[in-house]
Amino acid sequence: MKEELFASGRNIPNIDPTLNIWHWQIPSYLFLGGLAAGILFFAGVFTIMGKEEQMSATVKKAPLVAPFALILGLFLLFLDLKHKLWFWQLYTTIRLESPMGWGAWVLMIMTPISMVWSASYLTELIPGWDWKFKFLKTFESWVIRNRVLIAWPMVIYAVILGIYTGILLSAFNARPLWNTSILGPLFLVSGMSTGAAVILLVSKNHEERKIIGRIDLLLIVVELFFITHLFMGDKAGSEAQINAVNLFLGGSFTAPFFAFVVILGLLFPAILEIMELRGFKVPIAVPAILILLGGFIFRFLIVEAGQITRYLY
Amino acid sequence: MHTRRKFIKIGALGLGATAVTTAVASWATGNTSGSTRSVNDRAVSGWHRFPTYCEVCFWKCAGWTYVSPEGSIQKIIGNDDDPQCNGRLCPRGTGGVGMYSDPDRLKTPLIRVTKNGEQTYREATWDEALDFIANKMKEIAGKHGPESIALFNHGTPGKYFTHLLNAFGSNNVAAPSFAQCRGPRDTGFELTFGESVSSPEVTDIRDTRCLVLIGSHIGENMHNGQVQEMSEAIDKGAVIITVDPRLSTAASKSKFWLPIKPSTDLALLLAWIHVLIHDNLYNREYVAQYAEGFNELKEHVRDFTPEWAYGITTIKPELIRHTAREMANAAPSVIIHPGRHTTWYGDDVQRSRAIAILNALLGSWGNRGGIFFKEGIKIPDFPRPAYPKPSWSWQDTLNGRYPFAKEAVTNTIIEASIPKPGMEHIIKGWFVAGTNLVVSIPLKEQLMQAMQALDLLVVIDTMPMEITGYADVVLPECTYLERYDDLRATAHREPTIALRMPAVQPSYLTKPSWWISKQIGERLGLGAFYNYKDFKEVLQWQLKQIGSSMEEMERIGLKKYPRKSPVYIESIAEFKFKTASGKIQLKSNELQEAGFDAMPVYTPHPQPEDGYYRLIYGRAPMHTFSRTANNRNLVALMPENSVWVNPQVAELWGLRKDQHVWLKNQAGVLSNFSVKVRITERIRWDSVYIVHGFGHHHKPLTYAFGRGVNDTELISRLAIDPIMGGTGMRGNFVTFVKTEPRKEGKL
Amino acid sequence: MRYAMAIDTRKCVGCSDCVVACQTENDVPNGFCRDWVKEVVDGTYPNVSIELRSERCNHCANSPCVRCCPTGASHFEEGGIVLVEHNKCIGCGACIESCPYEARYSHPDGYVDKCTFCIHRVRQGNDPACVSVCPTRCMYFGDLEDPNSKLVNVLKNRKFKSLAPEAGTQPQIFYLL
Ligand SMILES: Nc1nc2c(c(=O)[nH]1)N[C@H]1C(S)=C(S)[C@@H](COP(=O)(O)OP(=O)(O)OC[C@H]3O[C@@H](n4cnc5c(=O)[nH]c(N)nc54)[C@H](O)[C@@H]3O)O[C@H]1N2
Ligand SMILES: Nc1nc2c(c(=O)[nH]1)N[C@H]1C(S)=C(S)[C@@H](COP(=O)(O)OP(=O)(O)OC[C@H]3O[C@@H](n4cnc5c(=O)[nH]c(N)nc54)[C@H](O)[C@@H]3O)O[C@H]1N2
Ligand code: SF4
Ligand code: SF4
Ligand code: SF4
Ligand code: SF4
Ligand code: SF4
Ligand SMILES: [Mo]
């Protein structure tokens, strides 16, 4: 029999028996970041394509959610910090090697963009809205004129933000479950899918929903493919990686993962969306909400499980 | 009949009222605010260091207590000049700060009172407590004579109360370090060589070529000098042979591990003797010159072949022969280690004799890499009147038993405290200083009976240990870091003395034992025995006599004296051992005359029945007995003990790792608490192992309470050594109880 | 200069003096530790072996904790010592997640803490506290680039390993076998 134990020391809360320094805040932060990225991505893309009017919920209404999601996300990141009063130190340095660092910066850039974007539609969306100050009105008209110009960086940053939500984790070589390059694209796709879900909830336009529904279906298929890839990649990896992925394939995370993420969060909404596309009457809120829930639980499980996995012990 | 002495939990008292604020290190209380200083600017200037020697065990390493500019004790570091520690304390010594900063410390004198029919303690002033004690002592002496007061002690405080009792007219002074510890070894070696190996042991491990450890688990037994020297021996490639039913840490570092069946060591030792003699491997010159009784011994061991021993010990004959040859190859630079805690199976003096004989046959006594001659410096007694001669003493409590007990046997003094009809020598009052009898002495019933019958029980301690709950008066001593004490005078490779002085003022209302002893003495009219105001005066006077001074010792902490006598035997012409004949006693005439076996004989010991496992116990390197179980620095390393179970046994019982079980012994005695299971290949399938000193049941030990189990309560059967009264404690067998036993009754 | 440590598993008895010494030297709060001792038991009774290892931050040459720190609080000091500047640390936990050895912990005061190789002692020419207290003298601390150091000497003459080399962090604590 092989026995390994701590002869002394190391009963560090949050590290023994399992590392658990990140709780619900970080997965929520990642979820909100991905969701905002998805929304802003679609808003930007359809603007660039000149489809503001056909896709008005995508371009105009849904982005209203983004600044709130981003600010809430940043707030949750703040909540996660143990040395909160030193928070500002995040923005006194630019450290490109640190995903946490550039993530904070991307959010810092993305949040004002999303605010400006949403604000520029307020007058159009809310009858009687008045910016009161002259300079705001001037700025508004500037933004409205240059929407396509703003859409470009917004799309690019949205992709970066989406990928970032995965890279924040995959950069940790020390956690075998996370340590795979597929996590960035996977989180990006998943983020877009949750963004699409928000649009589906907001949109009243059948045509728009159909387009977004189709895109979402594609995203779900890609996401399932990436998840399979993630597992297969880990399965073919080191012993630590095999142990890590086994948490999801027979281990303690298997049931919640397959029930809530794969079935309820991906397969079931996909089927509903297919039915909707085939003309069945499906209350569209159902798949959308399931996707959102699935997306959140997905991040929560990956963050939790990843912290348990280790090379050494 | 005296009112029953009910066990009182000190914690029930509002000690908060007297909580004198002191600079208790913030560490212990978990209050870390304010320590945000950056790693780079850790202040080291402005620190003071004060010499001390460690009191966390009895190796007494010399060290320095570092006090921060704010006046709190920061760390304790070994004294580089001390050959006992070479500048490195063991973990317990390093963690000694936790003794001082323990929030549960005794803080004020306490007196037992009956309030509304309930016994409890009340906080008392020192004057009240001391007057009470002195009056009771006079009362007892008036009725039964001063001899009726006894002292149980361990460590430095004992000295002052020994002085008090001697001055008062009693020499009934006992310590568990004899009948529960090194008694059999000392007796066995004295019977063979005329003297024992002392403490610190005079084993030349540093320079040995072969070290044989018989149950002696150096490395877990953290007696510092030995651990350091064993490491040095490993570096130098010495052969280590360890005999232990458990893969001790030492065994894992050994070239040969002999996983012996417990209780059969004597058979192995006899077989080794057989091989050395009959294969002509012994040191003939040495034996011829220094030993007597060789032919008888040769005849005696004729049939004790390795094949014979194999059947008993389960150690393969080739291995026995091979290891005997290894010893002979290294001789005389070989040590068959005498061990220290040797009260195992009741024939322990004989086992120690066999070990001594092996050393003699190999010629290790008096040789480099074997057992060297020590030299120390005698510290003169401070001038005092002669002690009165007691009319009887602890020898009279032996009642003809244990003829070779050279020190008082704790258990016979306990017996003598239980009134029986027609009893001649009765004990009515106890002082207990620095020993937690409830955890260190087996046979709880007997101890309880004795304590119930006393007229006076005074406990001097630093912590609210179990024993304090039975006292009439509890006196809080300050820790070793807050007081002066006797000089440490060590006899070893070179003579040394070490000073202990306070690094900080005593916390709360605590006082040093020298002061307590003096105060009681003066109240008894024994002022002439305490002809000084402050103990510092005594030290100053003593230091002057031996050519040093307080100033010098405060500066250096430890002083070495040049050696005057030879270290090894060959430099002495006509060397005489301290036995009656001047020769090593391979056959002991003394034993024979007293009606014991003159040469060791193997006797089988009871073996566990099905479903029961032999309870063996030992040390963990980061704890000392029960005294450190509440020390926050050390519990951070090891919070509780666990019961070691072989994987086969675990499977049989369906035990899981870290599962909590209760232990029940052969007499149905159940452990007070449950204990975690450790499933490990380090232990045999016929035994379980636990580290001694845990399972405290006294609530005021807020950390230690209920953590782990106490081996002592499961030791209800003793095998008493008829030669010197040692209490053999390894003949108890336990089984597992998997469900909460108190619930069982209800179902 | 490249500070490193070698620890002789043949001599270590697992006494954990290194752990207490670190507590008292560095004010490590109760319940936390910067170093710890692992025991690995292998085999079947009576053919059993034990490896005892005193572990701490490996002061990795390729250290993910420094890389992932968003504020630069985790950084390299002279001789490759990896340090956390308490006043720059925001307690985001990224470095804790990044360390394959789980050598870091979140200090109750908010910042992240870990072994400093006792840089305050080393700068004064002393050994780290754990090294200087070890009763078996089984730890060697020194400069890997100093060919005359005891450290280089033991590494030359003995077989050794480091922990989880597959993590790619280039740990600088070596275990003599
Ligand atoms: N079951 C079992 N019993 C054993 C042993 C075993 O292994 N198993 N071991 C035996 C051996 S080898 C020995 S030597 C004995 C040891 O037995 P003890 O000497 O009784 O052991 P400790 O637990 O050290 O008890 C010391 C007591 O001294 C107190 N103390 C500590 N420092 C001071 C101080 O400065 N002043 C005062 N006044 N008190 C202080 C502590 O709080 C504690 O109450 O136990 C023996 N009994
Ligand atoms: N850390 C620490 N060190 C200490 C102390 C402490 O409290 N803590 N106490 C000190 C004191 S006072 C003493 S007396 C010493 C005691 O230290 P030792 O004299 O070394 O200890 P023992 O209790 O005799 O031996 C315990 C070992 O005996 C083994 N053993 C059990 N049964 C048998 C058997 O039948 N045969 C053989 N061959 N081995 C057996 C156990 O597996 C265990 O490894 O330690 C001293 N050192
Ligand atoms: S061996 Fe350890 S506990 Fe004993 S005196 Fe030395 S430092 Fe103190
Ligand atoms: S102090 Fe030395 S012997 Fe003890 S555990 Fe640490 S490294 Fe090992
Ligand atoms: S051991 Fe961990 S904390 Fe230390 S340098 Fe390496 S990665 Fe960083
Ligand atoms: S917790 Fe502190 S040291 Fe660690 S990565 Fe975050 S800011 Fe850097
Ligand atoms: S080097 Fe210093 S900080 Fe690091 S473990 Fe050793 S004592 Fe602790
Ligand atoms: Mo002892």
Side-chain angles (χ1 to χ4, degrees):
Chain A
M1 187 183 102
K2 182 151 174 163
E3 189 195 6
E4 276 197 58
L5 68 152
F6 292 110
S8 75
R10 269 304 290 272
N11 56 56
I12 302 179
N14 289 326
I15 293 193
D16 300 317
T18 52
L19 180 76
N20 218 321
I21 190 84
W22 286 346
H23 305 288
W24 58 275
Q25 295 92 335
I26 291 288
S28 314
Y29 159 71
L30 297 179
F31 171 74
L32 291 168
L35 178 139
I39 294 173
L40 297 175
F41 175 81
F42 290 121
V45 167
F46 285 108
T47 303
I48 291 167
M49 289 165 68
K51 298 207 169 155
E52 288 105 319
E53 296 315 316
Q54 294 97 307
M55 308 294 289
S56 75
T58 311
V59 175
K60 302 174 185 178
K61 283 196 211 148
L64 284 174
V65 176
F68 293 100
L70 290 173
I71 289 172
L72 184 61
L74 268 173
F75 178 69
L76 291 176
L77 174 64
F78 173 75
L79 275 193
D80 169 67
L81 301 184
K82 302 285 186 301
H83 222 194
K84 296 193 173 52
L85 294 181
W86 276 255
F87 179 69
W88 51 271
Q89 299 261 24
L90 259 179
Y91 295 107
T92 55
T93 23
I94 297 183
R95 301 203 64 262
L96 289 180
E97 280 188 318
S98 161
M100 198 68 147
W102 62 258
W105 277 107
V106 169
L107 252 80
M108 208 51 176
I109 296 165
M110 210 50 191
T111 312
I113 295 181
S114 73
M115 283 171 156
V116 168
W117 187 271
S118 316
S120 76
Y121 279 109
L122 284 182
T123 329
E124 183 182 334
L125 292 176
I126 305 175
W129 184 271
D130 181 16
W131 282 110
K132 294 229 165 56
F133 297 100
K134 178 94 188 352
F135 76 93
L136 286 177
K137 287 179 186 159
T138 322
F139 184 56
E140 181 193 32
S141 55
W142 181 86
V143 172
I144 292 173
R145 262 183 282 123
N146 293 294
R147 279 217 177 94
V148 179
L149 204 70
I150 299 175
W152 274 108
M154 191 164 88
V155 168
I156 293 167
Y157 271 104
V159 173
I160 294 177
L161 177 59
I163 292 184
Y164 154 72
T165 61
I167 287 201
L168 176 68
L169 301 181
S170 71
F172 292 122
N173 293 339
R175 308 287 139 216
L177 177 71
W178 297 341
N179 182 15
T180 150
S181 52
I182 202 75
L183 223 52
L186 173 55
F187 273 46
L188 172 68
V189 173
S190 163
M192 289 190 163
S193 165
T194 53
V198 173
I199 299 172
L200 288 177
L201 281 177
V202 174
S203 174
K204 300 268 176 312
N205 179 330
H206 187 70
E207 268 314 301
E208 184 179 14
R209 292 213 306 229
K210 214 165 160 180
I211 294 169
I212 294 293
R214 259 198 204 122
I215 293 174
D216 196 27
L217 202 54
L218 182 71
L219 290 172
I220 289 178
V221 173
V222 176
E223 198 176 336
L224 282 169
F225 171 75
F226 281 161
I227 288 176
T228 320
H229 192 90
L230 169 80
F231 287 172
M232 282 182 17
D234 275 348
K235 265 283 190 203
S238 65
E239 195 189 328
Q241 279 175 316
I242 296 172
N243 286 339
V245 73
N246 280 347
L247 286 173
F248 292 91
L249 303 175
S252 52
F253 285 80
T254 315
F257 182 75
F258 280 94
F260 292 114
V261 179
V262 177
I263 298 176
L264 280 180
L266 294 170
L267 292 177
F268 193 54
I271 292 168
L272 290 181
E273 278 172 6
I274 292 170
M275 284 164 67
E276 157 103 9
L277 292 177
R278 291 272 161 89
F280 289 92
K281 220 49 217 121
V282 177
I284 197 65
V286 176
I289 289 173
L290 284 178
I291 285 173
L292 289 174
L293 274 177
F296 173 73
I297 294 173
F298 175 52
R299 281 163 184 77
F300 186 79
L301 293 180
I302 291 284
V303 170
E304 282 286 310
Q307 295 183 80
I308 296 177
T309 63
R310 49 187 75 186
Y311 278 99
L312 263 183
Y313 305 110
Chain B
M1 187 70 197
H2 191 270
T3 39
R4 272 180 65 86
R5 189 169 272 105
K6 227 186 110 222
F7 179 60
I8 304 178
K9 292 178 181 124
I10 290 180
L13 287 164
L15 276 183
T18 48
V20 183
T21 46
T22 45
V24 166
S26 55
W27 192 87
T29 51
N31 170 18
T32 53
S33 58
S35 67
T36 24
R37 62 185 155 164
S38 159
V39 276
N40 302 328
D41 59 17
R42 262 190 71 86
V44 265
S45 56
W47 287 27
H48 282 283
R49 60 176 208 180
F50 300 89
T52 189
Y53 58 87
C54 180
E55 182 80 14
V56 189
C57 88
F58 311 102
W59 197 258
K60 299 190 177 141
C61 302
W64 299 100
T65 314
Y66 281 77
V67 177
S68 72
E70 304 86 52
S72 71
I73 294 180
Q74 198 65 33
K75 58 180 179 182
I76 313 169
I77 302 292
N79 186 320
D80 285 333
D81 296 329
D82 183 16
Q84 240 145 291
C85 77
N86 304 301
R88 293 163 184 243
L89 300 181
C90 88
R92 302 163 297 152
T94 307
V97 231
M99 305 265 120
Y100 161 74
S101 59
D102 197 314
D104 299 327
R105 274 175 63 174
L106 292 172
K107 300 179 174 85
T108 165
L110 301 169
I111 296 183
R112 178 181 293 263
V113 289
T114 306
K115 229 193 245 163
N116 311 327
E118 269 292 304
Q119 291 190 8
T120 180
Y121 284 119
R122 74 170 176 86
E123 293 166 22
T125 62
W126 275 100
D127 275 332
E128 283 176 296
L130 297 165
D131 287 344
F132 178 91
I133 294 167
N135 289 336
K136 263 278 187 266
M137 284 175 77
K138 284 186 214 157
E139 200 182 305
I140 293 173
K143 264 196 248 167
H144 307 278
E147 297 85 354
S148 286
I149 308 228
L151 165 66
F152 293 92
N153 77 102
H154 205 183
T156 43
K159 184 90 186 279
Y160 315 104
F161 297 101
T162 305
H163 177 67
L164 175 69
L165 259 62
N166 286 168
F168 191 56
S170 165
N171 65 5
N172 287 319
V173 176
S177 51
F178 183 72
Q180 277 71 44
C181 178
R182 53 179 171 74
R185 161 194 101 176
D186 287 359
T187 311
F189 271 67
E190 276 155 12
L191 285 165
T192 314
F193 292 108
E195 67 181 306
S196 183
V197 288
S198 336
S199 173
E201 282 81 359
V202 288
T203 44
D204 196 7
I205 300 176
R206 185 180 74 188
D207 290 324
T208 198
R209 293 174 53 208
C210 178
L211 173 65
V212 183
L213 300 171
I214 296 153
S216 191
H217 56 333
I218 297 178
E220 285 154 293
N221 153 2
M222 206 59 204
H223 272 173
N224 202 343
Q226 306 200 51
V227 178
Q228 297 195 10
E229 293 195 14
M230 184 170 87
S231 175
E232 220 178 315
I234 292 175
D235 249 353
K236 291 183 184 164
V239 173
I240 304 181
I241 300 167
T242 300
V243 183
D244 200 310
R246 182 181 65 99
L247 182 75
S248 62
T249 304
S252 78
K253 315 246 170 234
S254 303
K255 182 158 178 207
F256 301 97
W257 170 37
L258 279 53
I260 197 167
K261 177 170 170 183
S263 81
T264 65
D265 296 74
L266 206 35
L268 172 69
L269 294 165
L270 289 168
W272 269 339
I273 296 175
H274 169 97
V275 176
L276 287 183
I277 294 181
H278 289 271
D279 291 1
N280 254 320
L281 295 168
Y282 68 102
N283 191 331
R284 313 180 83 171
E285 231 175 291
Y286 185 95
V287 169
Q289 193 176 350
Y290 298 114
E292 60 186 21
F294 178 77
N295 291 333
E296 288 97 324
L297 179 68
K298 183 173 181 179
E299 203 41 47
H300 177 68
V301 298
R302 177 172 301 281
D303 297 331
F304 301 146
T305 60
E307 286 68 23
W308 162 81
Y310 173 53
I312 297 168
T313 60
T314 72
I315 307 294
K316 298 243 161 63
E318 315 83 75
L319 190 55
I320 298 179
R321 288 208 167 80
H322 189 107
T323 43
R325 239 173 283 125
E326 289 277 355
M327 295 177 214
N329 285 343
S333 285
V334 51
I335 304 164
I336 319 299
H337 198 286
R340 184 162 176 132
H341 172 69
T342 41
T343 48
W344 298 359
Y345 299 106
D347 54 359
D348 306 305
V349 173
Q350 293 290 13
R351 188 184 62 251
S352 297
R353 278 263 303 141
I355 292 173
I357 289 169
L358 272 171
N359 279 301
L361 290 174
L362 294 161
S364 66
W365 189 289
N367 271 307
R368 187 184 160 87
I371 294 168
F372 58 81
F373 297 140
K374 65 181 183 227
E375 187 183 312
I377 185 154
K378 174 113 186 61
I379 312 255
D381 278 347
F382 191 72
R384 56 161 172 85
Y387 291 135
K389 193 169 163 27
S391 64
W392 61 273
S393 75
W394 59 266
Q395 277 95 344
D396 298 285
T397 67
L398 299 175
N399 295 327
R401 296 165 295 174
Y402 322 136
F404 293 92
K406 279 223 180 141
E407 293 176 37
V409 177
T410 42
N411 295 61
T412 68
I413 295 200
I414 295 171
E415 260 174 46
S417 312
I418 304 172
K420 276 177 258 351
M423 206 171 176
E424 213 181 316
H425 307 294
I426 189 157
I427 288 187
K428 295 306 290 179
W430 287 5
F431 277 78
V432 179
T435 170
N436 188 11
L437 298 180
V438 184
V439 182
S440 52
I441 307 242
L443 294 196
K444 198 169 167 188
E445 291 297 300
Q446 195 191 45
L447 184 66
M448 293 302 139
Q449 266 182 19
M451 292 196 294
Q452 299 303 340
L454 294 173
D455 286 347
L456 175 67
L457 174 49
V458 182
V459 174
I460 302 101
D461 208 303
T462 54
M463 290 292 298
M465 292 289 177
E466 279 72 10
I467 185 69
T468 55
Y470 298 91
D472 296 310
V473 187
V474 180
L475 301 178
E477 178 161 28
C478 53
T479 63
Y480 68 106
L481 301 172
E482 304 162 285
R483 66 189 194 221
Y484 281 107
D485 258 317
D486 256 317
L487 293 168
R488 180 201 95 183
T490 303
H492 209 244
R493 288 195 182 95
E494 49 195 331
T496 54
I497 57 163
L499 173 71
R500 174 185 288 166
M501 71 179 290
V504 290
Q505 286 306 305
S507 311
Y508 316 107
L509 296 180
T510 62
K511 292 283 185 188
S513 274
W514 66 259
W515 181 88
I516 302 172
S517 164
K518 178 170 150 67
Q519 290 291 320
I520 299 174
E522 283 166 354
R523 282 169 171 76
L524 293 170
L526 302 171
F529 290 87
Y530 298 90
N531 201 7
Y532 45 83
K533 273 208 5 232
D534 199 310
F535 200 67
K536 202 171 166 181
E537 280 172 48
V538 176
L539 297 173
Q540 276 163 336
W541 181 87
Q542 287 177 323
L543 285 169
K544 200 163 161 213
Q545 309 304 306
I546 55 173
S548 178
S549 68
M550 205 63 179
E551 294 68 48
E552 182 188 35
M553 290 307 290
E554 282 181 9
R555 198 179 68 246
I556 61 178
L558 179 122
K559 188 175 166 92
K560 292 183 185 176
Y561 285 83
R563 197 175 162 121
K564 298 197 187 97
S565 61
V567 191
Y568 302 124
I569 203 164
E570 72 261 4
S571 42
I572 310 173
E574 304 282 314
F575 179 83
K576 290 243 173 313
F577 281 87
K578 292 188 181 117
T579 52
S581 64
K583 297 233 160 179
I584 300 169
Q585 303 290 293
L586 297 179
K587 166 173 174 266
S588 169
N589 297 323
E590 276 179 278
L591 282 177
Q592 191 164 33
E593 279 158 26
F596 298 110
D597 293 326
M599 284 170 289
V601 174
Y602 168 75
T603 35
H605 297 289
Q607 296 298 326
E609 284 172 31
D610 263 4
Y612 282 81
Y613 305 89
R614 184 181 299 275
L615 175 68
I616 60 182
Y617 53 81
R619 315 276 174 251
M622 42 307 246
H623 283 282
T624 303
F625 310 117
S626 63
R627 69 167 55 194
T628 54
N630 207 61
N631 177 323
R632 303 298 204 276
N633 291 70
L634 297 177
V635 298
L637 308 180
M638 178 182 174
E640 62 194 308
N641 58 5
S642 57
V643 58
W644 296 26
V645 178
N646 183 281
Q648 291 182 27
V649 177
E651 200 183 314
L652 193 73
W653 281 81
L655 299 176
R656 282 169 291 107
K657 172 172 176 274
D658 291 341
Q659 175 179 357
H660 277 267
V661 295
W662 286 257
L663 300 178
K664 188 164 80 179
N665 80 357
Q666 73 284 338
V669 179
L670 197 69
S671 62
N672 228 323
F673 302 105
S674 61
V675 63
K676 272 189 189 167
V677 172
R678 171 179 178 188
I679 300 173
T680 180
E681 297 282 2
R682 290 181 64 181
I683 184 79
R684 282 169 70 93
W685 47 87
D686 56 4
S687 307
V688 295
Y689 178 77
I690 54 183
V691 170
H692 169 67
F694 291 86
H696 281 276
H697 61 269
H698 203 203
K699 281 240 172 71
L701 299 166
T702 55
Y703 186 87
F705 176 81
R707 292 191 196 248
V709 287
N710 173 359
D711 52 336
T712 311
E713 64 191 14
L714 296 166
I715 298 173
S716 63
R717 174 166 63 196
L718 292 186
I720 306 225
D721 196 310
I723 300 177
M724 50 59 71
T727 55
M729 305 196 274
R730 294 210 176 129
N732 289 267
F733 311 127
V734 295
T735 187
F736 308 104
V737 177
K738 287 168 65 180
T739 48
E740 167 99 52
R742 278 146 205 96
K743 279 183 194 149
E744 234 169 38
K746 283 185 200 145
L747 288 175
Chain C
M1 204 162 34
R2 174 67 251 194
Y3 288 123
M5 219 183 248
I7 304 176
D8 191 343
T9 59
R10 276 210 306 227
K11 292 199 291 180
C12 171
V13 292
C15 71
S16 310
D17 207 358
C18 44
V19 183
V20 224
C22 183
Q23 281 172 12
T24 59
E25 176 70 32
N26 296 308
D27 275 342
V28 181
N30 199 348
F32 299 89
C33 58
R34 290 180 178 185
D35 56 347
W36 59 91
V37 179
K38 272 224 113 183
E39 175 181 330
V40 184
V41 183
D42 208 357
T44 306
Y45 191 97
N47 300 310
V48 196
S49 69
I50 307 176
E51 180 174 289
L52 289 158
R53 291 194 306 253
S54 169
E55 298 183 1
R56 61 191 48 57
C57 167
N58 282 281
H59 296 275
C60 306
N62 178 20
S63 70
C65 57
V66 171
R67 238 180 294 128
C68 76
C69 176
T71 66
S74 284
H75 66 284
F76 291 110
E77 283 282 345
E78 76 262 19
I81 295 181
V82 174
L83 228 52
V84 181
E85 180 70 45
H86 298 170
N87 294 332
K88 264 195 181 174
C89 172
I90 58 173
C92 67
C95 54
I96 294 185
E97 295 287 3
S98 80
C99 172
Y101 308 97
E102 274 134 46
R104 294 172 165 245
Y105 69 94
S106 173
H107 191 283
D109 286 345
Y111 54 83
V112 160
D113 192 38
K114 67 165 194 71
C115 163
T116 59
F117 258 178
C118 283
I119 192 164
H120 64 290
R121 293 174 59 97
V122 171
R123 280 189 181 140
Q124 293 177 344
N126 295 321
D127 271 339
C130 50
V131 175
S132 74
V133 82
C134 171
T136 65
R137 293 178 195 259
C138 72
M139 294 200 227
Y140 305 88
F141 179 83
D143 179 2
L144 276 185
E145 287 163 13
D146 171 5
N148 300 320
S149 64
K150 180 102 194 173
L151 174 76
V152 170
N153 207 30
V154 286
L155 287 173
K156 255 194 228 148
N157 293 320
R158 291 275 297 272
K159 275 217 276 198
F160 61 84
K161 67 171 181 189
S162 58
L163 296 180
E166 68 275 19
T169 58
Q170 297 172 28
Q172 301 296 315
I173 295 195
F174 305 102
Y175 293 92
L176 304 174
L177 301 170

